[in-house]
Structure formats: C-alpha cells, structure tokens
Amino acid sequence: LFTAFNMLQRRTLLLHTSLKVKRARFPALAADFASVSVDAVHRVSERVSRGDYATANSDEERQVLRLMKEVNVVSSHVPGSSASRLAMRNEIRGLMMEKGLPSFYITINPADTFNPVVKFLSGGEIDIDNLLPGDAPEYWEQTLLVAKNPVVAARFFNIYMRAFI
C-alpha cells in the first residue's frame, strides 16, 4: 500500500512540478540552466541530500547553488508535498478571512489499537453485540494486527469518521 502511494506520488510529482522565476531574470536563468552540466547538478544534489547547502568545489557548482536560490519549485498539486500543505493552509486562511474564525474546534482520535471493531474487520471472532470490557482485544495483539494489515486500520478510520460526520 505504501509502495503504491509512493509510486503514485512520484508520478504526480513528475507530471505537476514546475519551476517559477521572476520574469526579469528568466533569460539569464535559462542561459545558466543550459550551461550547467548534469554531473555538476548531481554532485551538488548529493551534497545537499547530506545537508551541505553551501560547499561548492567549482564555478559550475557555485552556479548550480545560485540557481537553487533563485528558482522556486512549484508542486502544489502533489498530495503530501510541502507546497500542497501550504496551499491548504492558504485556503484555510482565506476561509477565515471570508467567514471569520471558527468558534468550535474538535479533535477526533479513533484509537485503532484499542477498538474491537478493528479485530472484527480483520476477520477475528468477536461478538460485538455482547462484548464485555474484559473481552476487548489486548493492546499488543491489536497493535501487531494494525501493523501487519494497515488496510484494516484505514477501513476502521473511514467507518469511524463516516459514523461521526
């Protein structure tokens, strides 16, 4: 499930990511992009992935670092990306400007590791109609069940939220 989500997210990222620059700087930045080699970009990206955002061993690497500072990546249509979270935050701020601050907050926490419905959804033998407090599944057993079968946890969450709403 997580692998499939990762593949879908990567596909969406490749299809919906674009670069944003200031109009006045576009011709110079386009020329800089054309003059930078793939090897220099690869070397800089390796260093950046290790947390080094400043070291440049050549003029070409300095040019790549300069391009990284001037070019903004736009990926707001990619679910789970920081840009999509920012877009959602901006949407919430816009709603608050239009409709006012919410006057009621609620946090719902469906604890799947304590709920016998999860065991029932996974095919376990539980009589939900005659369930006593001592008959509830053990915490550790339920945690392993959720870890081994996250689809059951997702189904439980969906049922719980639909029942609440």
Side-chain angles (χ1 to χ4, degrees):
L1 182 68
F2 296 113
T3 304
F5 175 74
N6 190 7
M7 290 169 61
L8 290 172
Q9 189 176 32
R10 285 180 185 222
R11 180 180 184 276
T12 308
L13 182 72
L14 292 172
L15 292 175
H16 295 286
T17 300
S18 58
L19 301 175
K20 182 178 168 184
V21 297
K22 292 183 180 177
R23 185 183 304 266
R25 294 277 301 138
F26 182 77
L29 290 173
D32 288 346
F33 266 115
S35 67
V36 172
S37 72
V38 175
D39 292 333
V41 173
H42 181 70
R43 287 191 303 268
V44 170
S45 68
E46 287 292 322
R47 265 192 239 111
V48 167
S49 69
R50 289 190 304 267
D52 181 8
Y53 293 92
T55 306
N57 296 332
S58 67
D59 289 336
E60 197 171 37
E61 290 179 7
R62 275 188 280 284
Q63 190 174 9
V64 171
L65 288 171
R66 200 168 37 254
L67 283 170
M68 285 175 58
K69 289 179 185 173
E70 293 193 39
V71 175
N72 296 319
V73 177
V74 179
S75 59
S76 62
H77 298 292
V78 179
S81 68
S82 58
S84 71
R85 286 193 303 272
L86 180 65
M88 285 189 278
R89 271 190 227 118
N90 288 338
E91 186 176 347
I92 290 170
R93 286 185 186 117
L95 284 169
M96 287 190 315
M97 294 288 288
E98 181 181 325
K99 309 237 184 243
L101 290 173
S103 58
F104 180 68
Y105 292 95
I106 188 165
T107 302
I108 304 168
N109 184 10
D112 52 4
T113 55
F114 294 107
N115 202 310
V117 175
V118 174
K119 190 166 187 174
F120 178 76
L121 289 172
S122 69
E125 292 294 324
I126 289 185
D127 184 11
I128 293 180
D129 295 327
N130 299 319
L131 188 67
L132 297 173
D135 297 337
E138 293 292 321
Y139 171 77
W140 183 251
E141 173 188 324
Q142 193 86 344
T143 303
L144 291 175
L145 178 69
V146 168
K148 289 179 182 175
N149 195 352
V151 174
V152 169
R155 286 181 55 209
F156 165 73
F157 181 82
N158 190 23
I159 290 168
Y160 200 89
M161 289 296 112
R162 286 184 187 272
F164 182 80
I165 295 173

